[in-house]
């Protein structure tokens, strides 16, 4: 959640952030009012409690005539203290509930607007000119014996699939390649749980406006994660990290689950928008004053992966109105999909500043010995969707697919041949 002291010092910054997100900025005045009333209630409570203690000490020393009056006052004060405490608690709970619904402050410099108002920062590579009509990833996947959506639907329903044969090898190779790159860059590899408690899911900001995207298991009160960002953020919840260990970088491999609520009719063909997929995710804890530069490093590592896979892509700066509630700034890398004639998101990296760490109480001890809230960041390094871009951009006229050179040691072959071809 946002910092109340920063809000008191500069409320206009939150107002501007809310407007950049397309959200109501009236919440700023509501927060300031609740904060002021809560602090006044706490002051009243503390004043009354101090008087109650003073009266209590005076009773034993008072004369019989004074004692009766003091006991009456003590009884009255006990009721007033209880009432003041209840009022302070009520206002505190209302303030906390309101704060939890307020998204992170948008970083200065992020584009304003909604989903279509991103800024293209750079385009890398040139989309390939085919001398034949390219096939889409599903047709190629079926020819290769790599993707089976019909049996996925039979077994599990719409937006499920099997990766078979070379399809399974391609995904495993891709994710292993991403893990190896991250470990070589100093990340600690992690295979986290994919079921988390409500406080972990809420702490990362995924139970707000997009809660309908999350799978919930009511019998166990657990949530299936849509990204390993969630368990990795919860990994150090309630802890104070040593400052000299920062930045603390983790690379998580997990299955991910998304309900895709509201996406009826969108990307129904193939494996672009599905309910279950695998992902390798970078997650970093660092000092807030180092978060901006760390964000650029995460983007750089994502670009390294895309360059190795020889994919044409562009880097976009996401507009405030399209940011998740935890993100202050987000950059996406979108690969060219030939049969769609457009770029589609493959990676996303977000700077969440100290938003998640405040909700999860993750701190580090600064040079002055005081605990301060850490900054958290995340970034995708590979996911199942990348198969779409690899197949379509590296296909040949006969339906075979050339494996990018950097990926070949992880897949075990140079070319994926159509099933049955010798």
């Amino acid at each position: 959640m946002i910092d109340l002291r920063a809000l008191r010092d500069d409320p206009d910054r939150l107002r501007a952030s809310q407007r950049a997100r397309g959200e109501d900025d009236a919440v700023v005045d509501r927060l300031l009012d609740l904060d002021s009333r809560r602090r006044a209630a706490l002051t009243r409570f503390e004043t009354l409690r101090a008087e109650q203690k003073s009266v209590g000490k005076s009773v034993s020393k008072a004369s019989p005539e004074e004692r009766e009056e003091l006991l009456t006052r003590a009884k009255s004060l006990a009721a007033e203290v209880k009432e003041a405490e209840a009022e302070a608690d009520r206002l505190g709970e209302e303030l906390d509930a309101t704060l939890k619904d307020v998204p992170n402050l948008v970083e200065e410099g992020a584009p304003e607007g909604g989903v279509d108002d991103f800024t293209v920062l750079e385009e890398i590579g040139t989309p390939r000119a085919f001398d034949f009509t390219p096939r889409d990833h599903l047709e190629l996947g079926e020819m290769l014996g790599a993707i089976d959506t019909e049996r996925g639907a039979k077994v599990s329903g719409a937006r499920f699939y099997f990766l078979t044969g070379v399809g399974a090898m391609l995904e495993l190779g891709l994710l292993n390649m991403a893990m190896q790159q991250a470990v070589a860059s100093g990340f600690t590899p992690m295979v986290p749980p994919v079921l988390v408690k409500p406080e972990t899911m809420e702490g990362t900001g995924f139970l707000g406006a997009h809660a309908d995207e999350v799978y919930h298991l009511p019998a166990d009160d657990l949530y299936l994660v849509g990204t390993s960002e969630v368990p990795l953020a919860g990994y150090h919840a309630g802890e104070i990290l040593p400052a000299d260990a920062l930045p603390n970088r983790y690379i998580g491999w997990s299955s991910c689950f998304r309900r895709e609520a509201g996406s009826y009719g969108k990307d129904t063909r193939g494996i672009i928008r599905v309910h279950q997929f695998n992902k390798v995710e970078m997650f970093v804890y660092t000092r807030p004053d180092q978060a901006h530069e760390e964000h650029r490093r995460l983007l750089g590592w994502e670009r390294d992966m895309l360059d190795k896979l020889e994919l044409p892509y562009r880097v976009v700066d996401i507009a405030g109105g399209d940011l998740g509630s935890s993100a202050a700034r987000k950059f996406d890398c979108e690969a060219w999909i030939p049969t769609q004639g457009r770029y589609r998101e493959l990676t996303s990296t977000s700077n969440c500043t100290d938003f998640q760490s405040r909700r999860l109480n993750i701190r580090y001890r600064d040079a002055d010995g005081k605990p301060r809230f850490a900054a958290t960041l995340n970034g995708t390094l590979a996911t199942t969707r990348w198969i779409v871009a690899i197949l379509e951009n590296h296909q040949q006229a006969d339906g075979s697919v050339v494996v990018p050179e950097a990926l070949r040691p992880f897949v075990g072959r140079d070319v994926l041949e159509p099933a049955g071809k010798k």
Side-chain angles (χ1 to χ4, degrees):
M1 59 184 72
I2 60 173
D3 182 356
L4 267 177
R5 279 183 289 187
L7 172 63
R8 293 179 205 130
D9 293 340
D10 188 6
D12 285 339
R13 187 180 173 206
L14 178 55
R15 290 190 180 96
S17 175
Q18 288 291 98
R19 289 193 294 269
R21 287 181 176 273
E23 301 278 352
D24 186 2
D25 64 0
V27 72
V28 177
D29 291 327
R30 176 167 172 74
L31 285 170
L32 291 171
D33 177 60
L34 283 169
D35 179 47
S36 176
R37 288 162 56 200
R38 180 189 62 106
R39 286 190 290 155
L42 281 171
T43 299
R44 180 170 179 266
F45 163 68
E46 289 164 0
T47 300
L48 287 169
R49 187 172 60 175
E51 184 181 352
Q52 182 186 33
K53 289 179 179 179
S54 176
V55 169
K57 291 178 181 178
S58 300
V59 170
S60 61
K61 302 175 183 178
S63 65
E65 296 80 10
E66 296 173 323
R67 185 175 296 120
E68 189 64 32
E69 182 180 346
L70 287 171
L71 287 171
T72 300
R73 179 56 182 154
K75 184 177 180 180
S76 173
L77 279 170
E80 291 180 55
V81 167
K82 186 175 181 181
E83 178 189 350
E85 184 177 24
E87 176 69 1
D89 289 346
R90 183 188 68 78
L91 288 168
E93 289 172 4
E94 189 175 351
L95 177 61
D96 286 345
T98 305
L99 274 172
K100 284 181 179 178
D101 289 336
V102 177
N104 200 357
L105 290 164
V106 176
E107 184 180 297
E108 292 181 13
E112 293 188 6
V115 64
D116 297 321
D117 297 310
F118 56 81
T119 298
V120 177
L121 300 179
E122 189 176 359
E123 292 186 3
I124 298 89
T126 303
R128 178 180 166 192
F130 290 89
D131 57 5
F132 59 91
T133 302
R135 299 175 174 89
D136 75 2
H137 75 280
L138 182 56
E139 183 178 357
L140 289 165
E142 290 173 342
M143 291 178 66
L144 296 167
I147 302 172
D148 191 335
T149 56
E150 287 189 11
R151 289 187 176 93
K154 178 180 70 174
V155 170
S156 302
R159 299 188 189 276
F160 285 95
Y161 58 95
F162 283 87
L163 292 181
T164 57
V166 293
M169 295 304 297
L170 184 59
E171 179 176 71
L172 289 170
L174 174 66
L175 299 181
N176 271 308
M177 177 178 164
M179 290 292 288
Q180 187 179 94
Q181 174 182 297
V183 170
S185 299
F187 284 76
T188 299
M190 305 278 276
V191 179
V194 296
L195 285 166
V196 299
K197 296 178 180 179
E199 54 266 34
T200 305
M201 188 66 80
E202 184 179 58
T204 47
F206 283 92
L207 289 186
H210 300 289
D212 59 351
E213 291 285 350
V214 182
Y215 283 105
H216 182 218
L217 282 64
D220 304 289
D221 199 18
L222 293 172
Y223 290 88
L224 281 166
V225 301
T227 168
S228 57
E229 169 193 346
V230 177
L232 292 178
Y235 187 64
H236 286 302
E239 298 180 20
I240 298 178
L241 305 174
D244 58 4
L246 300 179
N248 199 335
R249 301 184 178 113
Y250 295 113
I251 185 74
W253 177 328
S254 74
S255 292
C256 305
F257 306 86
R258 297 184 185 177
R259 293 187 60 240
E260 291 296 342
S263 65
Y264 180 79
K266 297 179 181 177
D267 296 316
T268 56
R269 181 173 169 81
I271 60 171
I272 288 180
R273 194 184 296 272
V274 291
H275 291 309
Q276 178 182 340
F277 55 95
N278 290 314
K279 183 156 68 110
V280 169
E281 180 83 358
M282 299 178 286
F283 194 86
V284 179
Y285 298 88
T286 192
R287 298 167 57 103
D289 60 355
Q290 297 173 345
H292 182 83
E293 289 306 314
E294 186 70 10
H295 196 196
R296 270 55 183 181
R297 280 189 282 271
L298 291 176
L299 177 60
W301 283 312
E302 291 177 340
R303 293 182 57 165
D304 287 346
M305 274 291 293
L306 290 165
D307 290 339
K308 291 173 186 174
L309 296 173
E310 304 166 39
L311 296 173
Y313 66 96
R314 69 182 184 182
V315 181
V316 299
D317 192 354
I318 299 300
D322 195 29
L323 292 174
S325 61
S326 298
R329 190 77 174 269
K330 183 170 78 164
F331 300 115
D332 284 358
C333 292
E334 302 176 334
W336 179 256
I337 306 299
T339 62
Q340 295 189 9
R342 61 178 176 140
Y343 291 93
R344 299 299 302 267
E345 176 199 336
L346 290 195
T347 79
S348 179
T349 177
S350 297
N351 179 4
C352 296
T353 61
D354 61 0
F355 184 84
Q356 293 175 330
S357 64
R358 286 180 178 277
R359 297 163 74 101
L360 293 166
N361 193 27
I362 304 164
R363 297 173 293 170
Y364 68 97
R365 203 171 294 283
D366 210 344
D368 59 8
K370 294 181 180 179
R372 303 181 187 277
F373 289 106
T376 61
L377 303 97
N378 62 80
T380 310
L381 204 53
T383 187
T384 303
R385 185 184 284 192
W386 289 40
I387 293 173
V388 174
I390 293 170
L391 294 181
E392 292 207 13
N393 282 283
H394 296 300
Q395 64 178 292
Q396 304 302 304
D398 63 354
S400 63
V401 174
V402 176
V403 179
E405 186 174 351
L407 186 57
R408 291 173 189 173
F410 299 93
V411 178
R413 60 191 70 196
D414 297 351
V415 179
L416 308 181
E417 299 283 0
K421 182 178 178 181
K422 296 182 180 179

